[in-house]
Amino acid sequence: MTKPAFEFNLLATDGQARAGLIHTPHGEIPTPAFMPVGTQATVKAMTPRDLHDVGASIVLGNTYHLYLRPGDELIAELGGLHKFMGWDGPILTDSGGYQVFSLAQRRKVGSDGVTFRSHIDGSEHCFTPEKVIAIQENLGADIIVCLDECAPADDYDYNVQALNRTHTWAQRCKAAKTRANQALFGVVQGGVFPDLREQSARFLTGVGFDGYAIGGLSVGETKEQMHAALEIVTPILPTDQPRYLMGVGTPEDLVECVARGVDMFDCVLPTRTARNGSALTRTGRINLRNARFADDAQPIEPGCTCYTCTHFSRAYVRHLTTTNEILGHHLLTVHNLHLLLTIAREMREAVLEGRFQTYRQAFWQMREQPA
Ligand SMILES: [Zn+2]
């Protein structure tokens, strides 16, 4: 019997928190895992070598953006997304659903799919479940995601209709998939409504996927609502498959959502805040543009082992940031990604050693100290 291309081993649990290992054709992903976002087939300001150095085991690519530019067929001709972007580790591509519902113009949703105009040149396109699977098969990521509809989180009637479409589309995505070496994740939706979240988790696990994404959160709802949604959804999902919370990735969200049974995360926060001159730290966020760092000889985060903190002062990074030097973006991105990837790794070790709750308490004690 040949080994399956995709496999998840749950190694330990501590409360709801989990430590596991995902096997893919391009290598292993230790979980909990944070996935740096490579929107345009690049994690902004980072080479694949830099990504390996900060400890990334998987990166995310955006189907919507890559379909529009440079085109999934071109990427397939050039050997697929791994080869195109020079990253030989695992890749996850999202379905493009979120971008269509947040970025594209003149959307029209029907039962068959969604037509929209490109945010770049206004050209008209249509995403059906079959089409987004074909695009993701051309891109060739290790993990691909079903087309889903992201409804406004607090509109019940809209969520009921969107959920029906999302569920039908999920079945069609599963039927359309032809490649055996890609894992397919379904997307649980349902906004902030407990009954809809439960219905979605039950429906999708009934269809059966290789893993489950949880979408439509971190879009303006309260933390309590996000946590409540997870507390309903994760106990319904199969224990022997990975759970991926889409678009969530502050240090505190990572800790609190791992505590509620999540295994995988992605977020533009570490890369986007870096370009705004901000650093994420264990005690909170600091903005290096602030004049108080002008003569500060300390590293961004004392004790941090990243390349930036072991070589440069806050004063130097502040100088690069205020003069808008490219290196400033790079150095802040290195630090921010290193921090999130380190927290994910520390949580994994804590779960494996049965001390996750102690880790969580220590994490929150650090937050209360001034930055
Ligand atoms: Zn650092």
Side-chain angles (χ1 to χ4, degrees), residues 80-91:
L81 187 54
H82 294 88
K83 192 168 177 208
F84 185 59
M85 67 186 283
W87 168 260
D88 58 7
I91 299 177

Side-chain angles (χ1 to χ4, degrees), residues 208-284:
F209 291 94
D210 301 303
Y212 297 87
I214 303 166
L217 292 173
S218 198
V219 292
E221 80 287 350
T222 65
K223 295 284 180 209
E224 289 72 25
Q225 287 172 319
M226 178 167 82
H227 295 164
L230 292 177
E231 284 161 14
I232 290 163
V233 168
T234 60
I236 298 170
L237 299 178
T239 53
D240 59 352
Q241 290 176 311
R243 299 95 175 252
Y244 156 36
L245 181 55
M246 305 175 99
V248 171
T250 64
E252 52 274 28
D253 282 342
L254 250 59
V255 173
E256 287 308 307
C257 297
V258 164
R260 290 168 174 81
V262 173
D263 305 308
M264 303 165 73
F265 302 87
D266 80 283
C267 192
V268 295
L269 179 87
T271 41
R272 184 172 288 166
T273 53
R275 297 197 304 282
N276 295 329
S278 285
L280 308 172
T281 78
R282 288 173 194 268
T283 51

Side-chain angles (χ1 to χ4, degrees), residues 304 306 308-309 335 338:
C304 176
C306 84
T308 303
C309 291
H335 168 79
H338 181 269

Side-chain angles (χ1 to χ4, degrees), residues 11-15 17-19 346-360:
L11 302 176
T13 58
D14 186 348
R18 295 145 52 94
E346 288 171 351
M347 288 194 289
R348 184 171 200 275
E349 287 161 6
V351 172
L352 288 171
E353 292 166 13
R355 51 177 179 79
F356 177 75
Q357 296 308 329
T358 313
Y359 178 86
R360 185 182 179 188

Side-chain angles (χ1 to χ4, degrees), residues 127-151:
F127 274 1
T128 62
E130 293 76 18
K131 175 90 181 225
V132 300
I133 293 299
I135 296 169
Q136 293 184 87
E137 291 191 343
N138 275 338
L139 295 174
D142 302 272
I143 302 173
I144 64 176
V145 175
C146 291
L147 181 65
D148 61 321
E149 180 170 357
C150 305

Side-chain angles (χ1 to χ4, degrees), residues 312-334:
F312 306 99
S313 64
R314 289 174 172 177
Y316 180 62
V317 177
R318 173 186 149 73
H319 161 69
L320 295 178
T321 301
T322 51
T323 51
N324 212 22
E325 284 291 338
I326 293 171
L327 184 59
H329 298 170
H330 171 69
L331 294 181
L332 277 166
T333 305
V334 165

Side-chain angles (χ1 to χ4, degrees), residues 174-194:
K174 185 176 174 179
K177 181 177 179 285
T178 64
R179 284 181 60 166
N181 59 353
Q182 293 182 300
L184 176 63
F185 282 22
V187 187
V188 175
Q189 287 284 357
V192 297
F193 305 104

